[in-house]
Amino acid sequence: MRLLSPAISRLARFRLWRIEHWMNNPVTVQFELLQDLITSAQYTEIGRKFGFENLYTLKSFKEAVPIHEYDDLKPYIERCMQGEQNLLWNTPITWFAKSSGTTSEKSKFIPVSDESLEESHFQGAKDVLTLYYNYNPDSDLLMGKGLVIGGSHQVSKLNEETQYGDLSAVLMQNTPFWGHWLRTPELSIALLDEWETKIEKLAETTIVENVTSISGVPTWTVVLIKRILEITGKQYLKEVWPNLELYIHGGVSFTPYREQFEKLIGAPIHYLDLYNASEGFFAAQNNPTEEGMLLFLQHGIFYEFMPVEEYGKEKPQTLQLDEVEIGRNYAVVISSNGGLWRYLIGDTIQFTSKAPFKIKVSGRIKHFINAFGEEVIVDNSDRAIAAASEKTGAIVKDYTAGPIYFSEHGNGGHEWLIEFEKAPSDLGLFTYELDTALKNVNSDYEAKRHKDIALKMPVVQSLKKYVFEEWLKSKGKLGGQHKVPRLSNDRKYIEEILAIANSEQVSKCF
């Protein structure tokens, strides 16, 4: 490894001039990429439908092709999963990344072409390495191994040619042979889908390795670190892996976790945020001391940015890079070499810089909880409330929910504030049915709740009458179209409403 690492390090830094090219020529690079995408897909079914052969300008592309959400592309994807080809992309698609569902589905399946693997996911990962070495030229990162904490789904076969799994499983199965030299654990452990066993095996097999980096969602990483410290009897992770220098995180906000990580690790290391989704590798930090991730512009993805107030309009307007503003919320729309065309991925971002273009993830288009990677949306919570009410005979008047963050005293979870029109006779049973229903409609929540490893049972509080009305009144939003937010990704609303519930200010005049 010591002989190999310096060579790989030099190769990683050699890529820098290409990165600087698209950083310095963002609009030109993006338009050229769009033309390549359209040309490649002009004879596909969707290309013929929208007349790709006649689309020579950005304006004509936006006029011809509508904004798509998952349900709009689902018929093409389902046919492709059954073996049909040349529908969305011009090369065979045999892999699909399974991720959390839309409002009507428990899970969705994103097509992953060979081009999206090589030009987006793998090239993005290599560029992260280049950026890291550029900022840390004396790094010994490749003198050891990277601990990769993968997803929770095994690779599954749909037929002889088509397979699916969560993104990490798809990437691990397609990683070049040399990539496995640089990572731990072995593939059979990395792809385990039973998390209690997986955490145990991860801990047991990696404590003997020279781990220099960790990659994974903070939720599971915290669980693993605590188990490793239990097994080894060490106080800090740096005592187990003295050469650990980097933690790569993404998927959820790292803010609630940073203090806990620093305490568990016991010494300063580098932290690097990245934005890699089933649909593609979008961005990563190039400077760990600055807010924002560098937007990857030459990785098989053409970007449009929809002001969030445009969402829901018949013909929503989108902007290009030279039209965006810093600090404004945009929904991300992509066209990709995975066969996604003007696809609304559901995330919202803000630009933190325009020279170069840097972004941060600001949330989702709709209300949600994603503090732990569970991606619970309002449709999930509404259906779970309905199911729990039916099972217990309760009638819910109003509710809101938000996260309970990880702490030194326990795992994270969800806190639900509910005003009942008719309260259940057993609030514990209602909570159980609510939790069960959420598992049934959301596969990511189900995985996080498995045996309480990452998320504990929800905490449900029954509020006295008129608390929500009093809170709306305090905001000047009582009446009309104003509603209590169903879900929130922080505790602001929860704390405000609880303060009113615990005070004497609730009147009975509503």
Side-chain angles (χ1 to χ4, degrees):
M1 183 63 67
R2 284 188 170 275
L3 292 175
L4 180 65
S5 294
I8 298 178
S9 301
R10 286 192 293 272
L11 285 173
R13 287 190 285 265
F14 184 72
R15 164 77 181 173
L16 187 62
W17 72 272
R18 291 188 178 275
I19 295 176
E20 290 174 341
H21 170 71
W22 51 258
M23 286 173 62
N24 296 328
N25 303 278
V27 176
T28 300
V29 164
Q30 275 280 281
F31 181 73
E32 291 174 349
L33 191 151
L34 176 62
Q35 290 299 304
D36 289 342
L37 292 175
I38 292 172
T39 300
S40 296
Q42 62 182 318
Y43 299 120
T44 62
E45 184 170 311
I46 201 168
R48 292 193 298 270
K49 177 180 179 180
F50 295 117
F52 279 16
E53 72 275 11
N54 297 317
L55 304 182
Y56 302 110
T57 66
L58 177 56
K59 180 181 179 182
S60 63
F61 175 69
K62 292 168 72 170
E63 288 176 347
V65 184
I67 300 290
H68 292 111
E69 296 191 59
Y70 182 76
D71 284 347
D72 300 315
L73 294 180
K74 183 181 172 184
Y76 295 97
I77 293 172
E78 287 184 334
R79 289 167 58 195
C80 190
M81 292 177 74
Q82 295 306 314
E84 287 192 61
Q85 297 296 345
N86 209 43
L87 302 176
L88 295 168
W89 189 242
N90 66 320
T91 63
I93 295 176
T94 59
W95 282 95
F96 294 84
K98 180 181 179 183
S99 64
S100 60
T102 61
T103 56
S104 61
E105 299 291 337
K106 182 176 179 179
S107 297
K108 58 184 179 181
F109 297 86
I110 302 301
V112 181
S113 67
D114 288 346
E115 289 82 359
S116 60
L117 275 173
E118 292 297 331
E119 298 169 17
S120 183
H121 293 291
F122 291 151
Q123 188 59 63
K126 287 184 279 189
D127 284 352
V128 168
L129 193 61
T130 294
L131 294 170
Y132 182 77
Y133 270 104
N134 183 55
Y135 199 81
N136 302 280
D138 297 323
S139 167
D140 289 329
L141 187 69
L142 295 178
M143 297 297 182
K145 290 191 174 183
L147 168 57
V148 180
I149 306 171
S152 57
H153 298 289
Q154 285 275 18
V155 170
S156 302
K157 274 184 172 288
L158 282 167
N159 50 57
E160 285 302 313
E161 296 182 350
T162 307
Q163 302 178 81
Y164 70 88
D166 71 359
L167 178 63
S168 58
V170 173
L171 296 181
M172 287 180 188
Q173 287 282 14
N174 289 277
T175 296
F177 71 93
W178 53 264
H180 295 293
W181 297 345
L182 305 174
R183 54 167 296 280
T184 189
E186 63 181 50
L187 201 59
S188 62
I189 296 174
L191 293 178
L192 284 173
D193 60 357
E194 206 290 310
W195 271 95
E196 189 172 53
T197 302
K198 182 172 183 172
I199 289 294
E200 198 68 21
K201 287 187 176 293
L202 278 170
E204 291 174 352
T205 59
T206 59
I207 55 177
V208 297
E209 299 278 8
N210 176 27
V211 172
T212 53
S213 69
I214 303 174
S215 304
V217 175
T219 313
W220 295 115
T221 307
V222 166
V223 173
L224 176 61
I225 292 174
K226 288 182 176 179
R227 183 57 186 143
I228 287 172
L229 296 180
E230 288 176 0
I231 291 174
T232 61
K234 303 295 185 183
Q235 185 176 3
Y236 302 114
L237 194 61
K238 265 286 195 174
E239 297 177 83
V240 181
W241 296 321
N243 296 319
L244 180 67
E245 63 172 88
L246 174 65
Y247 173 53
I248 302 173
H249 55 87
V252 297
S253 171
F254 189 59
T255 302
Y257 299 93
R258 181 176 288 274
E259 184 177 353
Q260 190 174 7
F261 266 78
E262 291 173 349
K263 289 181 179 179
L264 289 171
I265 292 170
I269 66 168
H270 299 292
Y271 297 91
L272 193 151
D273 194 9
L274 56 78
Y275 184 14
N276 188 21
S278 299
E279 296 86 354
F281 204 126
F282 300 137
Q285 270 182 298
N286 66 321
N287 184 338
T289 67
E290 295 179 359
E291 181 185 38
M293 297 173 285
L294 184 67
L295 188 63
F296 286 4
L297 300 176
Q298 204 171 41
H299 296 70
I301 299 169
F302 177 76
Y303 298 96
E304 299 174 59
F305 304 96
M306 178 197 297
V308 291
E309 57 271 19
E310 292 286 317
Y311 180 69
K313 293 184 179 180
E314 184 177 350
K315 293 184 177 181
Q317 299 300 306
T318 62
L319 306 177
Q320 272 49 68
L321 286 172
D322 55 350
E323 301 173 307
V324 299
E325 302 172 17
I326 291 176
R328 187 177 181 185
N329 266 335
Y330 298 102
V332 181
V333 178
I334 66 168
S335 297
S336 77
N337 56 8
L340 300 175
W341 297 99
R342 303 202 77 205
Y343 179 73
L344 189 68
I345 64 175
D347 292 333
T348 59
I349 60 97
Q350 294 179 359
F351 283 89
T352 62
S353 167
K354 294 175 66 175
F357 285 98
K358 292 186 180 184
I359 62 171
K360 66 177 181 180
V361 179
S362 55
R364 299 282 291 177
I365 297 172
K366 303 171 183 177
H367 289 165
F368 65 97
I369 306 177
N370 192 35
F372 312 100
E374 68 275 54
E375 295 190 10
V376 173
I377 60 177
V378 174
D379 181 74
N380 299 156
S381 61
D382 283 346
R383 290 161 67 183
I385 284 283
S389 298
E390 182 180 358
K391 291 289 183 67
T392 62
I395 300 174
V396 172
K397 180 181 179 183
D398 218 339
Y399 75 91
T400 192
I404 301 170
Y405 292 128
F406 269 72
S407 70
E408 295 178 1
H409 308 292
N411 290 356
H414 292 171
E415 184 167 9
W416 295 70
L417 308 182
I418 302 178
E419 183 179 332
F420 291 97
E421 190 71 38
K422 177 186 176 184
S425 58
D426 185 343
L427 188 60
L429 177 61
F430 181 93
T431 303
Y432 170 81
E433 295 294 350
L434 177 70
D435 180 58
T436 300
L438 277 174
K439 292 176 184 176
N440 290 336
V441 299
N442 185 308
S443 58
D444 285 334
Y445 178 86
E446 181 182 36
K448 303 298 185 296
R449 279 285 294 120
H450 182 65
K451 295 188 177 181
D452 294 346
I453 295 175
L455 289 183
K456 61 186 177 184
M457 178 72 77
V459 174
V460 176
Q461 299 203 44
S462 177
L463 299 183
K464 56 188 176 183
K465 289 185 177 181
Y466 313 122
V467 169
F468 286 121
E469 288 92 334
E470 190 68 58
W471 178 77
L472 287 169
K473 182 181 178 181
S474 73
K475 297 291 184 181
K477 294 183 177 181
L478 187 63
Q481 299 298 312
H482 299 297
K483 300 176 182 178
V484 174
R486 290 293 191 226
L487 303 176
S488 178
N489 206 40
D490 57 39
R491 290 189 56 80
K492 177 184 177 183
Y493 296 142
I494 293 285
E495 300 294 349
E496 290 178 351
I497 294 168
L498 282 176
I500 290 176
N502 295 327
S503 72
E504 299 297 324
Q505 69 185 80
V506 180
S507 63
K508 297 183 179 180
C509 59
F510 297 105

